[in-house]
């Protein structure tokens, strides 16, 4: 049997998205939460998802995270069709998610939170590899550009911004390919928000695909390479993060227009 030729590798070779959602449908009884929703995320790209309340943003995030399963549609990771029946499978596929509640144990220190449920043990023993976990905790926080006084500080003693940094740093434990951040700047001060946006930029610099869900359009425009608008569970516009205006996004979010001037004009230049 003759094998099909392999695609040529070079500058003109098409980029395979790290995450590709196609025609995602999700119902909750008679409510249509997502209707033929699609999303593409490339490695080293921050894609923001915006929309009004009940637009389907968190539902889409939970499907990617394996918390919910779609009623129809296809999910591809690095070009391979996959199913994500639970969060454990999502982690194995390289999808890490930070939800709004952060899910941190405030009585445990930073290191323990980073490795909660994934503790490392010494070879052939039943003892925790504390030194190894502490060293890794310092490294991931450094990679993220996060300042924490000590990785042995209880999380309950940290500021809101520092707790958010710990939750984001936890996504770097393992081998993540996509990081989903659901409203990471909500209820933060201006200074703390700036720190979180820097963390998002560091995730991009590490080559990860980032999904940034937010109501704050200024935050979105500050870091997103691309902004996807959801309205009533449907895609309602795709915009370049660097040049789209708040007015254009508000129009697409509220349905004042079906298509903004940037829709379909977006093309990301790969360097």
């Amino acid at each position: 049997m003759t094998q099909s030729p392999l695609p040529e590798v070079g500058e003109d070779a098409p980029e395979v998205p790290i995450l590709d959602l196609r025609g995602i449908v999700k119902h909750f009884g008679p409510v249509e939460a997502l209707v033929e929703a699609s999303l593409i995320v490339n490695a080293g790209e921050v894609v923001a998802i915006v929309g009004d309340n009940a637009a389907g943003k968190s539902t889409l995030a939970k499907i990617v995270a394996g918390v919910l399963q779609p009623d129809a549609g296809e999910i591809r990771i690095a070009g391979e069709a996959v199913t994500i029946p639970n969060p454990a499978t999502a982690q194995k596929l390289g999808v890490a998610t930070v939800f709004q509640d952060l899910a941190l144990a405030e009585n445990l220190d930073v290191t323990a939170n980073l490795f909660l449920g994934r503790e490392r043990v010494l070879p052939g023993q039943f003892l925790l590899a504390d030194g190894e976990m502490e060293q890794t905790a310092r490294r991931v926080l450094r990679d993220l550009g996060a300042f924490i006084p000590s990785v042995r500080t209880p999380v309950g003693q940290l500021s809101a911004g520092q707790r958010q940094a710990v939750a984001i740093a936890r996504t770097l434990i393992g081998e993540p390919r996509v990081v989903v951040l659901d409203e990471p700047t909500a209820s933060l001060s201006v200074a703390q928000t700036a720190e979180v946006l820097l963390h998002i930029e560091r995730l991009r610099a590490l080559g990860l695909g980032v999904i940034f869900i937010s109501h704050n359009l200024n935050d979105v425009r500050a870091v997103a390479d691309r902004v996807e608008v959801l309205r009533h569970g449907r895609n309602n516009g795709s915009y370049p993060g660097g040049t789209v205006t708040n007015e254009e996004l508000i129009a697409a979010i509220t349905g004042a227009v079906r298509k903004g001037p940037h829709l379909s004009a977006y093309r990301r230049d790969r360097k």
Side-chain angles (χ1 to χ4, degrees):
M1 177 168 42
T2 304
Q3 293 184 336
S4 300
L6 294 174
E8 294 183 4
V9 177
E11 293 185 359
D12 295 330
E15 180 181 20
V16 176
I18 195 68
L19 178 68
D20 188 354
L21 306 181
R22 306 179 183 185
I24 300 298
V25 175
K26 183 63 181 178
H27 295 88
F28 296 102
V31 177
E32 295 180 318
L34 292 172
V35 184
E36 296 291 328
S38 298
L39 179 69
I40 289 177
V41 182
N42 295 304
E45 181 182 39
V46 178
V47 178
I49 302 177
V50 300
D52 212 340
N53 292 334
K57 305 184 301 298
S58 292
T59 299
L60 195 65
K62 289 177 180 178
I63 286 175
V64 175
V67 177
L68 297 174
Q69 285 68 53
D71 298 323
E74 184 179 39
I75 302 174
R76 289 180 174 270
I77 293 182
E80 180 180 353
V82 300
T83 57
I84 310 179
N86 51 57
T89 300
Q91 289 185 1
K92 291 178 181 178
L93 291 170
V95 178
T97 304
V98 179
F99 291 109
Q100 284 183 263
D101 63 4
L102 302 185
L104 297 174
E106 297 203 349
N107 61 314
L108 300 179
D109 63 30
V110 172
T111 299
N113 269 279
L114 292 182
F115 286 92
L116 193 61
R118 292 181 287 184
E119 292 82 0
R120 297 177 182 176
V121 297
L122 295 172
Q125 302 183 46
F126 294 99
L127 299 175
L128 293 176
D130 288 322
E132 178 187 345
M133 290 190 293
E134 187 172 319
Q135 183 179 6
T136 301
R138 292 196 186 96
R139 177 180 58 78
V140 297
L141 289 167
R142 183 176 63 251
D143 290 345
L144 194 62
F147 173 74
I148 304 293
S150 169
V151 294
R152 289 304 180 186
T153 301
V155 164
Q157 297 179 15
L158 300 179
S159 69
Q162 289 171 328
R163 288 197 292 271
Q164 186 66 250
V166 172
I168 295 174
R170 186 173 54 194
T171 67
L172 297 177
I173 302 298
E175 298 181 354
R177 295 190 280 187
V178 179
V179 175
V180 183
L181 304 175
D182 191 2
E183 297 286 355
T185 61
S187 303
L188 296 184
S189 69
V190 173
Q192 292 168 345
T193 294
E195 290 179 2
V196 170
L197 296 182
L198 287 174
H199 300 334
I200 293 174
E201 292 180 346
R202 292 298 290 267
L203 292 175
R204 173 172 53 202
L206 292 171
L208 302 178
V210 180
I211 298 175
F212 175 26
I213 299 172
S214 179
H215 280 94
N216 191 311
L217 301 184
N218 290 327
D219 292 350
V220 162
R221 292 171 55 241
V223 296
D225 297 294
R226 179 159 38 93
V227 184
E228 299 288 341
V229 178
L230 286 181
R231 176 170 167 76
H232 300 319
R234 296 172 169 85
N235 294 91
N236 200 47
S238 179
Y239 301 82
T243 57
V244 67
T245 66
N246 282 0
E247 290 73 17
E248 289 175 299
L249 292 176
I250 291 170
I253 289 169
T254 60
V257 293
R258 178 62 182 169
K259 292 185 178 181
H262 284 113
L263 186 64
S264 301
Y266 170 78
R267 178 182 180 275
R268 185 170 185 222
D269 293 326
R270 308 298 297 176
K271 297 182 179 179

